[in-house]
Amino acid sequence: MSGGRDGRLGVGVIGAGRVGPVIAAALAGAGHALTGITSGSDDDRVEAILPGVPVLAPEEVVRRSELVVIAVPHDQLLGLVVGLADLEAWQPGQLVLHTDAGYGVEVLAPALRRGAIPLAIHPAIVFTGASSIDLRQLAQAYAAVTAPGPVLPIAQALAVELGCEPVVVDEENRAAYAEAVATATQFSRSIVRQSAELLAGVGVENAGAYLSALVRSSVDQALTEGAGTIGADGIPPDATIDG
């Protein structure tokens, strides 16, 4: 992998859902050249985000790229990596990066055996698919980074180029990390939906907008309080326990 004298890379993306095109746009904004992206359910949206970027088959994206970004659903990732290995698509020295929260780099072992360099970077945001919103979110976000020791600085640098603050999560901790992320997103969505329905039921118009500042300030307060409000037994120090 040459990457050019200035360290810029030819970047290809496999996955044209909410995540892949935004990651591509962020890396292009950092000066990397986009070599191609796979087709998705809405190629017109991808064209609007990434005008002129070729739409290619996955194996052709891999063939053309020095950095391959894989942004596919969790249950498709391993099969995709294995399938491309069976086609002998992976190249020695090529960077292969996936964005899944639940996997570290072990899932990329078939590419590693072909000489590729495995990286895992999960930006801790909920992607909307709207590039302008998501790029702003990336600039304020952290990203979980997992990589073999010698190439960890590469993964960290790529996270920074996405706009994120990198946080190293060890391979053995990725499952727990994914559970933490899922708990936060699923619980918050459920509670906000329930609150919005209750407000709408009492006649509050545009309940989502009404809750916006309240939810943000509540989350900020919870994050500020942090772990200091929880005792070693997991119970807040001022909690009353019946019985």
Side-chain angles (χ1 to χ4, degrees), residues 26-198:
L27 291 173
H32 297 290
L34 300 181
T35 60
I37 188 168
T38 53
S39 181
S41 59
D42 189 351
D43 288 342
D44 290 339
R45 179 182 67 85
V46 174
E47 171 64 21
I49 297 172
L50 306 172
V53 174
V55 177
L56 306 170
E59 59 270 27
E60 184 64 15
V61 168
V62 174
R63 188 186 71 80
R64 295 188 182 195
S65 305
E66 295 165 306
L67 166 62
V68 178
V69 176
I70 307 176
V72 298
H74 180 84
D75 58 358
Q76 296 178 18
L77 179 55
L78 178 58
L80 173 68
V81 176
V82 170
L84 288 167
D86 291 343
L87 292 172
E88 300 184 352
W90 302 117
Q91 304 166 44
Q94 182 177 53
L95 297 171
V96 183
L97 181 163
H98 77 73
T99 61
D100 190 275
Y103 284 120
V105 294
E106 181 59 32
V107 71
L108 300 175
L112 174 63
R113 287 192 288 269
R114 299 282 179 175
I117 299 170
L119 312 170
I121 300 177
H122 173 256
I125 68 171
V126 176
F127 284 84
T128 67
S131 61
S132 58
I133 295 173
D134 291 338
L135 289 170
R136 284 198 302 271
Q137 288 192 114
L138 282 174
Q140 302 172 2
Y142 291 84
V145 174
T146 306
V151 295
L152 183 59
I154 297 176
Q156 292 171 310
L158 287 169
V160 170
E161 289 189 325
L162 290 175
C164 300
E165 177 73 22
V167 175
V168 177
V169 177
D170 292 337
E171 181 79 21
E172 62 269 23
N173 294 328
R174 288 291 291 215
Y177 166 79
E179 182 180 0
V181 169
T183 298
T185 54
Q186 294 170 9
F187 182 75
S188 58
R189 284 174 176 170
S190 175
I191 292 300
V192 169
R193 280 197 297 264
Q194 182 180 357
S195 297
E197 290 171 0
L198 289 169

